[in-house]
Amino acid sequence: MATSPSDSKLTGLFLDMLAAEQGAGPNTLDAYRRDLTDFSEFLGRVGHSFVDAETQTLRDYLADLDSRGFKSTSVARRLSAMRHLYRFLLNERIRSEDPAAILSGPKRGRGLPKVLSIADVDRMLRRAKELSEAQDASPAKRLRSLRLYCLLEVLYATGLRVSELVALPRSAAKRDARMIVVRGKGNKERLVPLNEASRQAMADYLAATEAAKTGNKTDNKGDKKSALSASKWLFPSFGESGHLTRQHFARDLKELAVVSGLQARLVSPHVLRHAFASHLLHNGADLRIVQTLLGHTDISTTQIYTHVVEERLKSLVRDLHPLAEK
């Protein structure tokens, strides 16, 4: 009798499929790996594996997550991972039935995204610009400030995902560039327009990096600074990825929030992406246009912002209807 493949091997095959056929990125793959590893560990404790677990065992796992204090959103994500896994095992004929098919997830309302006001974003932009122009700052500190100001301007101008932002190529900073090509989820490309402020911020930051490169030339070809200046990334780093990490940017952003008089817990790259979308809609942008700019495949994902549209419609009726109370 043939031995069933191990959970770890099946997880590897499943992740390979996601990467090859659906273009899943590293962050998505890491999330699936963590969820399925936790699921596999639970199955091992109760004497089962991916191959022989039945529906009731899957229900027991969901109950275990609940007893561990997992939020409904986290439980729903684990259930989604199990459903994807078992559809894969069914398609590969590793299993003859799908034990996750009839499972129902926890009821959850879709929360509204955290959004900063236009005034809040403006405060952060002004503070970041002040820091980038500080005359008493050291060259290294000024370069970091210019980088943060550039990141903030580009993020608020485009609504990029943080993973897309930190991985922008150096070519995105061309002085005459009105649009940039962004490679998003599923390796799909989209065009995103730049405004004048973001183009100028990129030009100033790039000029500063070029000046730093000129001032730091050495005869040592292995010098780290030389390696950074030759990087293909707009925001290079010494790390394995070659570019600034999203975690590093998030930390810098929270520090900027504090010196701007805002609470750090309310500010993140994702919150600024939400601000970009909400502020556009508040000022009359079409939901489909915002969907395209954000890189959402499905309009339902963008519809979390419909509360902004509804508020705008209410204000239009209130302010412009001929029978509205004055």
Side-chain angles (χ1 to χ4, degrees):
M1 184 175 178
T3 304
S4 298
S6 67
D7 286 358
S8 61
K9 182 175 181 179
L10 291 177
T11 298
L13 292 172
F14 172 65
L15 296 177
D16 287 344
M17 180 278 295
L18 287 179
E21 297 182 14
Q22 299 183 23
N27 295 334
T28 300
L29 296 176
D30 286 344
Y32 271 111
R33 184 180 289 106
R34 286 193 300 271
D35 290 349
L36 293 177
T37 297
D38 186 71
F39 176 43
S40 175
E41 289 173 352
F42 171 83
L43 291 177
R45 291 195 297 271
V46 297
H48 289 288
S49 67
F50 291 163
V51 174
D52 62 19
E54 299 299 331
T55 300
Q56 185 55 51
T57 309
L58 272 58
R59 287 197 179 101
D60 293 341
Y61 173 63
L62 296 177
D64 178 69
L65 293 175
D66 186 60
S67 70
R68 285 192 268 161
F70 278 69
K71 294 180 179 179
S72 60
T73 50
S74 298
V75 175
R77 195 190 73 210
R78 297 290 175 96
L79 175 56
S80 176
M82 289 192 295
R83 284 174 173 157
H84 281 84
L85 171 70
Y86 281 110
R87 279 200 292 270
F88 167 73
L89 298 182
L90 191 63
N91 291 336
E92 295 296 313
R93 299 184 180 180
I94 295 171
R95 289 202 52 146
S96 58
E97 79 293 326
D98 181 354
I102 62 173
L103 288 177
S104 57
K107 291 182 179 179
R108 53 178 181 150
R110 193 162 196 178
L112 297 178
K114 294 178 184 176
V115 177
L116 294 171
S117 68
I118 294 174
D120 288 338
V121 177
D122 188 54
R123 284 167 65 185
M124 291 184 67
L125 285 168
R126 280 189 283 107
R127 186 61 178 142
K129 187 169 178 61
E130 289 170 3
L131 292 172
S132 72
E133 294 173 344
Q135 298 300 313
D136 57 345
S138 66
K141 188 173 182 180
R142 183 169 183 272
L143 187 58
R144 287 195 299 272
S145 297
L146 278 167
R147 181 181 68 187
L148 180 57
Y149 176 58
C150 179
L151 284 159
L152 186 57
E153 281 284 10
V154 175
L155 176 54
Y156 187 54
T158 62
L160 296 181
R161 297 178 179 92
V162 63
S163 57
E164 298 167 343
L165 175 66
V166 297
L168 281 174
R170 199 174 183 84
S171 58
K174 289 180 181 176
R175 188 174 296 276
D176 58 346
R178 303 287 173 176
M179 310 276 284
I180 54 174
V181 179
V182 177
R183 192 178 298 276
K185 284 188 175 182
N187 219 26
K188 293 179 181 177
E189 291 185 344
R190 69 184 189 278
L191 278 174
V192 178
L194 295 170
N195 60 17
E196 180 58 36
S198 60
R199 289 200 303 273
Q200 187 60 54
M202 285 198 292
D204 291 344
Y205 166 67
L206 197 58
T209 60
E210 290 296 328
K213 176 179 69 173
T214 301
N216 288 318
K217 278 186 176 179
T218 70
D219 293 329
N220 182 0
K221 293 183 180 179
D223 184 75
K224 282 186 174 181
K225 290 178 180 176
S226 299
L228 284 184
S229 64
S231 173
K232 66 177 182 178
W233 308 111
L234 180 57
F235 306 108
S237 171
F238 296 125
E240 187 177 329
S241 64
H243 57 69
L244 183 73
T245 65
R246 53 199 176 91
Q247 294 88 351
H248 191 146
F249 173 44
R251 287 196 300 270
D252 287 350
L253 198 58
K254 287 186 180 296
E255 290 176 6
L256 176 64
V258 171
V259 298
S260 302
L262 301 173
Q263 295 183 56
R265 66 181 179 82
L266 299 178
V267 179
S268 71
H270 204 58
V271 168
L272 279 161
R273 174 170 155 87
H274 286 318
F276 161 82
S278 294
H279 297 169
L280 277 180
L281 289 166
H282 181 75
N283 287 307
D286 182 85
L287 194 65
R288 288 283 182 183
I289 298 297
V290 174
Q291 175 194 356
T292 301
L293 292 174
L294 292 175
H296 288 163
T297 303
D298 193 332
I299 189 66
S300 64
T301 310
T302 319
Q303 283 172 341
I304 58 172
Y305 300 106
T306 52
H307 68 288
V308 179
V309 179
E310 289 166 2
E311 287 301 314
R312 177 172 169 77
L313 290 174
K314 287 177 185 176
S315 64
L316 285 173
V317 171
R318 183 183 64 246
D319 298 338
L320 302 179
H321 195 283
L323 297 182
E325 292 183 6
K326 299 295 183 183

